[in-house]
Amino acid sequence: MIHSFDALILGGGAAGLMCAIEAGRHNRRVALLDHADRLGKKILVSGGGRCNFTNLHTQPENFLSSNPHFAKSALSRYTPADFIALVEKHRIPYHEKTLGQLFCDRSARDILAMLEEECRAANVTIFLNAKIQEVTRTTEFVVRTANAQFQAPKLVVATGGLSIPKIGATSFGYDLARQFSLKIRDPWPGLVPLVLEANDRSRYCDLTGVSAEVIASCDGQRFREKMLITHRGLSGPAILQISSYWKKPQQITLDLAPENNLTAVFENPKAARTLTTLRTEFRKALPARLADRWLDHHAPTSWTNAALKNLEHQAHAWTIVPAGTEGYEKAEVTAGGVDTDELSAKTMEARKVPGLFFIGEVVDVTGHLGGFNFQWAWASGAAAGRSL
Ligand SMILES: Cc1cc2nc3c(=O)[nH]c(=O)nc-3n(C[C@H](O)[C@H](O)[C@H](O)COP(=O)(O)OP(=O)(O)OC[C@H]3O[C@@H](n4cnc5c(N)ncnc54)[C@H](O)[C@@H]3O)c2cc1C
């Protein structure tokens, strides 16, 4: 059976859904194909089930890409305000949690239901359980699944990255890009917990659950947020953010007590220069268990001013060389992807292959934690959808 459309969109996640809605609204006959048994599975698990659907302060600086300018055009033409207008049209209650991050009051299901309803209104035809076997291009693009064939002059790839294979992530998008000789920036797991090497793990990981506000830095980037100790290493927003910039064997620097002068007490000549005094000061700035444990392994070598200065420095620039990350099983995103040099920033169309588009996470544009990845999915999806 052959189905003919104006455009085929492969992948019914955030980007594919938005693209289908925009194209449908522009009177294109659109088919949305997904291999899963339902759309938007990642939307449902996002933001702890409440979907951090955008960020009020979205700026190009919130994205990693080998071309930092690439995302600007799409982001400026579909803004957080555009998505919020859609959310409000559907009367979905939401709130700002922190730092401009908008979450549903009730459930991520509200966002998916909204997108599905918009798809219906835009006459998008949805094919679930579509196991794609082959994509070819003759005069049109032809997509063959186990029991049907689809054809259209436009093909949009919105199959996401490699994160969370358990809920359907595949390398399909990268493979297809390669099939059409488009360059890929090697993907890596982003927004992912870090695993400590054995020594540090035995020193700190029994403190699982302890968290502290830190500044995590790597590769010229810094994030001041919470860090959490896990049973294998480090997590929490500060670590997830910096993980996207980290590559083995780089080190990560942690300021354990931003803006605190932990040894100031010793400027008073009457202060006893003892570990007890030091512990008391560290405990004011850090959770007690972390303060004690860190000092167990960084006790000053002497009580001279120089040694104390050195200790102060170490506490604000504690360097860690992680053994690795928790990988795609735990990564919220996949960084890298289809090289932006291959795509039009305005439409997401491949320059070398007219009619072929890549949107969302499969593209080498990766957001920081905080609703930016969905904003990229909506913006890149809308950019392609309007031009189909
Ligand atoms: C646990 C978790 C929580 C997150 N929370 C947030 C958050 O709160 N805010 C935020 O901004 N971002 C969040 N993200 C990131 C965000 O979910 C993604 O960046 C975003 O979903 C990417 O959208 P996409 O449409 O490009 O890809 P996806 O949403 O991954 O959609 C890809 C679609 O393609 C389909 N597909 C894959 N391979 C094939 C194939 N071979 N054939 C057919 N179909 C295929 C999949 O089934 C899927 O439906 C989170 C991610 C995770 C894993």
Side-chain angles (χ1 to χ4, degrees):
M1 168 134 192
I2 299 180
H3 303 278
S4 251
F5 288 90
D6 294 329
L8 306 174
I9 301 172
L10 309 183
L17 282 159
M18 179 55 79
C19 181
I21 292 163
E22 285 291 331
R25 281 180 186 164
H26 286 79
N27 297 318
R28 297 291 177 271
R29 289 176 311 112
V30 183
L32 184 60
L33 279 68
D34 202 296
H35 68 163
D37 56 4
R38 67 168 307 168
L39 297 168
K41 284 190 175 179
K42 239 179 224 178
I43 295 174
L44 293 177
V45 299
S46 68
R50 292 248 165 107
C51 187
N52 177 194
F53 54 81
T54 191
N55 192 299
L56 293 173
H57 311 309
T58 302
Q59 295 292 331
E61 292 71 36
N62 299 117
F63 298 85
L64 293 83
S65 171
S66 49
N67 176 357
H69 303 293
F70 179 80
K72 286 181 181 171
S73 169
L75 290 172
S76 70
R77 284 177 298 118
Y78 192 93
T79 65
D82 292 318
F83 196 77
I84 293 166
L86 194 58
V87 168
E88 290 182 348
K89 178 178 136 196
H90 286 258
R91 299 180 194 284
I92 296 174
Y94 67 93
H95 60 279
E96 179 180 352
K97 196 167 169 192
T98 173
L99 304 169
Q101 302 169 6
L102 301 190
F103 284 78
C104 297
D105 288 354
R106 292 187 305 229
S107 160
R109 283 196 297 272
D110 284 348
I111 297 294
L112 184 56
M114 170 187 89
L115 295 167
E116 288 178 324
E117 199 179 318
E118 289 290 328
C119 276
R120 277 191 292 279
N123 291 317
V124 175
T125 311
I126 291 165
F127 296 88
L128 295 173
N129 299 305
K131 313 285 179 218
I132 298 163
Q133 295 180 333
E134 193 187 34
V135 175
T136 51
R137 181 176 176 235
T138 49
T139 49
E140 297 203 329
F141 291 94
V142 178
V143 173
R144 212 160 47 75
T145 64
N147 41 23
Q149 194 165 306
F150 299 82
Q151 63 182 51
K154 306 279 172 75
L155 180 71
V156 183
V157 182
T159 46
L162 300 169
S163 315
I164 324 279
K166 225 177 31 220
I167 52 171
T170 69
S171 63
F172 181 90
Y174 310 117
D175 300 339
L176 196 83
R178 284 193 198 98
Q179 181 188 328
F180 285 95
S181 303
L182 305 183
K183 277 185 293 167
I184 304 287
R185 296 265 171 183
D186 282 345
W188 72 93
L191 301 181
V192 63
L194 297 174
V195 177
L196 291 176
E197 52 89 17
N199 260 345
D200 281 334
R201 217 183 306 163
S202 66
R203 284 177 182 158
Y204 299 103
C205 285
D206 63 312
L207 303 183
T208 300
V210 171
S211 81
E213 186 176 316
V214 301
I215 298 174
S217 331
C218 178
D219 201 22
Q221 299 290 323
R222 63 203 299 271
F223 294 93
R224 182 173 179 159
E225 287 190 62
K226 282 257 155 77
M227 171 187 87
L228 173 74
I229 299 180
T230 70
H231 69 292
R232 278 164 49 86
L234 300 174
S235 187
I239 298 298
L240 297 179
Q241 298 279 33
I242 209 67
S243 73
S244 300
Y245 292 89
W246 178 78
K247 295 250 178 72
K248 207 171 176 174
Q250 283 176 316
Q251 63 182 33
I252 282 177
T253 304
L254 298 170
D255 181 344
L256 288 176
E259 284 157 30
N260 276 290
N261 188 340
L262 298 157
T263 54
V265 66
F266 298 113
E267 284 161 21
N268 178 353
K270 289 193 187 132
R273 295 199 167 199
T274 63
L275 213 47
T276 309
T277 317
L278 199 56
R279 275 193 205 288
T280 307
E281 294 309 301
F282 268 65
R283 284 174 173 207
K284 286 180 192 161
L286 280 169
R289 291 173 70 206
L290 179 57
D292 291 355
R293 185 63 59 80
W294 193 84
L295 280 172
D296 288 346
H297 297 291
H298 298 83
T301 44
S302 74
W303 294 99
T304 61
N305 287 347
L308 288 171
K309 194 170 164 203
N310 184 38
L311 180 80
E312 182 79 41
H313 172 76
Q314 278 190 59
H316 296 290
W318 181 30
T319 56
I320 299 251
V321 182
T325 74
E326 293 282 5
Y328 291 117
E329 304 293 322
K330 297 269 173 69
E332 264 193 31
V333 284
T334 304
V338 176
D339 195 321
T340 54
D341 285 353
E342 301 281 12
L343 306 176
S344 150
K346 190 154 180 253
T347 63
M348 308 292 138
E349 187 171 14
R351 297 178 195 285
K352 291 195 291 230
V353 191
L356 180 62
F357 298 70
F358 289 84
I359 57 173
E361 199 173 310
V362 73
V363 178
D364 173 29
V365 173
T366 305
H368 290 169
L369 189 73
F372 302 105
N373 283 298
F374 278 135
Q375 189 56 37
W376 169 245
W378 316 136
S380 58
R386 288 166 183 168
S387 72
L388 289 175

